[in-house]
Amino acid sequence: MSGHSLRDRHGRVATDLRVSLTDRCNLRCTYCMPEAGLPWLPKPELLTDHEVIRLVGVAVTRLGVTEVRFTGGEPLLRPGLPAIVEAVGRLDPRPEISLTTNAIGLERLAPVLVEAGLDRVNVSLDTLEPDRFKELAKRDRLERTLHGIKAASQAGLDPVKLNTVLMRGVNDDEAPALLRFALAHDYQLRFIEQMPLDAGGTWRRDQMVTAAEILESLKAEFDLVPDPAHRGSAPAETWLVDGGPAKVGVIGSVTRPFCGDCDRTRLTADGQVRNCLFARDETDLRDLARSGAGDEEIAERWQAAMLGKKPGHGIDDPSFLQPARPMSAIGG
Ligand code: SAM
Ligand code: SF4
């Protein structure tokens, strides 16, 4: 296979790797995981810390990956996270290292992770009301989340980005309050349209809060002007708030898909490459690595996996089928 990049047949090159470190979580956000949890992956099926570091190393040193984001499930539940971050930070060329987390436990871990080499953090925050948090995530943990966010900022992570999913009749009236909160603390807020990735398969297109609705509710309180900075491959469309420099982002994954600019490749906690969140096929690197394959062979398998990437997610296509694994197991 020619070249040392993760290229697909539609001209896109993946440079942004999302690594899921666990399928487990300490919350149960309704758009992601059922209240009773899921059958977790058995430990022998999970990549070890050493295997994660090796596969990320292949992606960075042989396949042109320049950004590595750790996610899950809840990545802070992985005891080896600081050691993994540290090892990835020693790769040459050094990738940007970021984390997507619900922030529970970040109070203790933020300084440790910064010391290990973490560059950036995205925290999921869907509400500022304790009762709603409990309804939405099935756990009473808003305070811990807010402490975690503060700790990230105090540890020097800048900017702290917040991700919000709005759900109709649950927290869809809270967009302005969340933006006020973000502006007051200098966090960067992005709203993400809810995608059909919940374990229960309950997502309905006509129930989803759209990017247009989110913008409308923000415009009732804020003056929003499209951000002149080019969007590039970043999925968020950004808007300057009240003349800037503060910004707010809206990721219209469903109604304004950005598949044509997608630069992502994904590795699940059990070592499967996914070329798209919505892919129905996976490519096993774990057993290949465990069978004694060298780095070059692993790199070639990864390249082959990306070649089959579809041009778009096709959510609006009548033949669309939700992937077999939910978001928590794929890695959001
Ligand atoms: N536990 C971490 C967290 O919540 O940030 C990391 C994993 S979580 C799966 C990653 C991101 O995916 C979160 O921002 C979450 O809001 C988002 N997410 C989960 N299910 C989603 C869905 N069905 N549609 C849109 N975003 C979703
Ligand atoms: Fe856990 Fe994140 Fe899924 Fe919420 S969105 S259940 S915090 S993995």
Side-chain angles (χ1 to χ4, degrees):
M1 202 166 294
S2 69
H4 289 280
S5 60
L6 292 171
R7 196 169 284 281
D8 67 31
R9 290 200 174 87
H10 306 280
R12 297 166 297 185
V13 179
T15 53
D16 178 345
L17 168 61
R18 309 274 152 140
V19 183
S20 171
L21 291 178
T22 176
D23 57 333
R24 294 174 188 242
C25 192
N26 40 14
L27 295 184
R28 297 287 184 270
C29 306
T30 42
Y31 49 72
C32 182
M33 227 191 256
E35 187 163 4
L38 290 163
W40 310 126
L41 289 166
K43 185 133 193 247
E45 292 188 18
L46 293 178
L47 296 177
T48 63
D49 292 356
H50 179 76
E51 287 170 331
V52 170
I53 294 162
R54 179 179 178 204
L55 293 178
V56 173
V58 169
V60 169
T61 62
R62 292 175 181 261
L63 294 168
V65 161
T66 54
E67 280 188 64
V68 178
R69 173 172 294 278
F70 294 109
T71 177
E74 178 43 51
L76 295 181
L77 295 179
R78 176 122 183 181
L81 177 64
I84 293 172
V85 168
E86 192 173 12
V88 170
R90 280 198 301 267
L91 292 172
D92 183 19
R94 186 197 188 281
E96 271 243 315
I97 308 172
S98 55
L99 181 71
T100 301
T101 173
N102 62 28
I104 296 171
L106 208 49
E107 227 179 324
R108 180 178 70 79
L109 278 167
V112 178
L113 290 168
V114 168
E115 177 71 23
L118 185 70
D119 298 308
R120 288 187 290 122
V121 70
N122 283 29
V123 178
S124 306
L125 180 70
D126 298 328
T127 178
L128 293 164
E129 297 183 20
D131 288 347
R132 282 189 178 177
F133 191 98
K134 204 166 152 192
E135 182 190 347
L136 230 148
K138 310 294 178 207
R139 302 284 188 272
D140 192 2
R141 301 275 198 285
L142 175 62
E143 209 176 324
R144 290 205 63 195
T145 300
L146 295 177
H147 284 147
I149 295 172
K150 196 166 172 192
S153 173
Q154 285 172 344
L157 292 165
D158 183 34
V160 171
K161 290 192 181 175
L162 302 179
N163 293 343
T164 300
V165 176
L166 294 180
M167 279 172 293
R168 201 172 298 286
V170 181
N171 61 342
D172 55 341
D173 59 350
E174 231 180 306
L178 283 158
L179 182 51
R180 260 182 266 124
F181 170 79
L183 295 176
H185 294 88
D186 214 10
Y187 305 140
Q188 278 186 20
L189 178 65
R190 295 134 24 111
F191 293 92
I192 309 176
E193 279 180 348
Q194 187 184 350
M195 297 178 278
L197 288 167
D198 57 312
T202 57
W203 182 90
R204 296 283 171 271
R205 180 72 157 83
D206 56 3
Q207 277 302 305
M208 190 193 73
V209 180
T210 63
E213 288 175 90
I214 297 165
L215 284 166
E216 197 178 321
S217 82
L218 291 175
K219 280 178 179 166
E221 235 179 85
F222 300 94
D223 178 36
L224 298 188
V225 179
D227 181 4
H230 188 248
R231 169 171 157 179
S233 64
E237 285 184 76
T238 48
W239 307 78
L240 295 177
V241 182
D242 291 340
K247 296 176 184 185
V248 64
V250 179
I251 306 185
S253 331
V254 179
T255 61
R256 304 177 185 195
F258 37 87
C259 303
D261 290 321
C262 179
D263 61 355
R264 296 195 183 155
T265 182
R266 294 171 186 276
L267 186 64
T268 64
D270 55 348
Q272 313 296 306
V273 168
R274 298 178 64 93
N275 56 29
C276 170
L277 258 182
F278 295 96
R280 301 195 49 84
D281 305 320
E282 299 181 341
T283 298
D284 185 14
L285 297 187
R286 180 197 61 204
D287 287 352
L288 182 66
R290 288 183 185 173
S291 71
D295 287 0
E296 189 56 34
E297 195 179 338
I298 291 172
E300 281 173 12
R301 178 80 61 94
W302 204 323
Q303 286 181 303
M306 294 310 290
L307 271 184
K309 180 163 170 146
K310 297 216 169 96
H313 57 46
I315 291 175
D316 280 335
D317 191 299
S319 66
F320 174 78
L321 283 175
Q322 194 169 324
R325 297 216 228 194
M327 185 72 131
S328 56
I330 296 169

